[in-house]
Amino acid sequence: MSTAVASPFRFFSLHVLRTRRVSPSLTRVTFGGDELRDFRSHGLDQSLSLFLPHPGQEEPVVPIELGDSWWQGWRELPDDVRAVMRSYTLRGLRADAHGRTTEIDIDFVLHGIGGDSGSSEAGPASRWASQAGPGDRVLLLGPALADNRAIRFRPPDGTDLVLLWADETALPATAAILEALPAGTRVRAWIEVPDVQDVQELVTDADAEITWFTHSTHDTAQDSPMALDGIRAAQLPSAERPYVWIAGESGSVKQLRRHFVSERGIDRRAVTFVGYWRRGLTEEQLREQGE
């Protein structure tokens, strides 16, 4: 299989090694493959594009033989043939003694998946993840250089307080960020998840205070982040150079960015905001709006 895509990103042909249900709303899929030896990333909130097959297909259909024209070729394929494309963040990476990547983890949010894995409310990626098994094949568009533009979490030099907000879609990135932060880093984090059982014990050496919000314990407007009132009421530690990272549903991200910049007076250049999804729209619809 050809893997030619302009550096620092390229295609990687991968297969499922194992899966693990992390919580009611999250399942972790571990991928491997010989081509991973050229995968490089510093982690954190590393963004990836994953291509999944339709039911009945042995592998996702992406015309990577077209080189830099693969995108246009992919868009021109019939809907029921063209691979399902979804954006994710890297949850974990393992390498051998020579620094070659051997495995990567991606956490999938199981939208609309309960006891019935065939739920009609579930999207194609949720359905795929809920049924994935060893050997299932996917295609990944990811980094061949560890420091790349798809890593957004970049606190400026001199940052003395890190503020994080995430919903369940940004929880994998948040967990990876917390794991990477060094001891002594002051962190306040607010995380929103659907169910109390989705609350995780996050590992970090940082001086972190983490507050969880769940739909089962908070009554709030559907189009407003549950954490907004809590963040507004929070007495933040004194800081001269705070840095903010907020990621998740686009509408919530915009409201929180407005709070930190307009209400808290934090320099907008020290606020990183990423909309992973938008309520009421599929990723295909979002992509069409951005073109």
Side-chain angles (χ1 to χ4, degrees):
M1 178 181 287
S2 170
T3 56
V5 168
S7 182
F9 301 93
R10 52 160 283 183
F11 282 107
F12 298 87
S13 179
L14 306 179
H15 59 270
V16 175
L17 295 177
R18 56 189 176 275
T19 66
R20 180 169 72 88
R21 193 69 172 257
V22 177
S23 72
S25 302
L26 290 171
T27 194
R28 181 164 299 156
V29 181
T30 299
F31 297 96
D34 291 340
E35 294 182 6
L36 266 183
R37 63 181 179 271
D38 296 319
F39 182 95
R40 299 286 186 275
S41 176
H42 286 325
L44 303 175
D45 60 339
Q46 174 71 65
S47 179
L48 311 163
S49 293
L50 193 65
F51 296 84
L52 306 171
H54 290 280
Q57 294 179 329
E58 292 188 0
E59 62 182 34
V61 178
V62 182
I64 61 176
E65 69 278 1
L66 298 179
D68 290 344
S69 299
W70 73 267
W71 171 263
Q72 185 61 34
W74 174 77
R75 288 296 306 271
E76 293 173 353
L77 291 171
D79 291 346
D80 59 348
V81 173
R82 180 177 64 231
V84 175
M85 178 183 178
R86 289 293 184 270
S87 300
Y88 289 95
T89 52
L90 180 68
R91 177 59 185 90
L93 175 154
R94 285 168 292 283
D96 62 19
H98 302 287
R100 296 181 294 241
T101 303
T102 57
E103 298 180 353
I104 63 170
D105 298 327
I106 296 177
D107 285 359
F108 291 75
V109 178
L110 301 180
H111 296 290
I113 298 289
D116 175 15
S117 61
S119 169
S120 60
E121 297 179 3
S126 294
R127 287 195 296 270
W128 180 89
S130 69
Q131 301 171 7
D136 289 352
R137 299 171 68 179
V138 301
L139 198 62
L140 178 77
L141 182 59
L145 293 177
D147 188 5
N148 58 79
R149 66 179 182 272
I151 295 175
R152 302 289 301 279
F153 180 82
R154 297 181 183 272
D157 291 341
T159 294
D160 54 0
L161 176 65
V162 175
L163 303 172
L164 308 173
W165 174 85
D167 63 14
E168 66 272 21
T169 64
L171 176 54
T174 304
I177 287 169
L178 288 169
E179 288 175 357
L181 291 175
T185 305
R186 295 187 303 163
V187 182
R188 290 292 303 273
W190 298 268
I191 304 174
E192 301 184 15
V193 291
D195 190 276
V196 68
Q197 295 182 68
D198 292 320
V199 175
Q200 301 179 20
E201 188 68 33
L202 301 181
V203 177
T204 182
D205 290 329
D207 177 12
E209 179 181 327
I210 303 171
T211 303
W212 294 84
F213 294 82
T214 69
H215 293 290
S216 59
T217 58
H218 287 79
D219 182 18
T220 187
Q222 187 180 27
D223 60 352
S224 178
M226 288 182 286
L228 184 55
D229 287 342
I231 294 174
R232 279 182 170 144
Q235 184 68 40
L236 300 183
S238 176
E240 293 185 3
R241 301 193 65 182
Y243 171 74
V244 180
W245 180 90
I246 43 182
E249 196 279 322
S250 294
S252 296
V253 166
K254 289 179 181 178
Q255 291 185 60
L256 288 159
R257 177 177 181 263
R258 188 180 305 118
H259 165 73
F260 284 115
V261 173
S262 300
E263 299 178 30
R264 292 281 184 178
I266 295 176
D267 187 340
R268 66 180 63 250
R269 294 170 296 181
V271 178
T272 296
F273 57 103
V274 189
Y276 284 167
W277 61 289
R278 185 175 301 170
R279 188 171 285 107
L281 294 180
T282 66
E283 186 160 338
E284 287 83 4
Q285 292 169 327
L286 271 175
R287 196 176 300 120
E288 288 174 0
Q289 289 187 1
E291 293 176 357

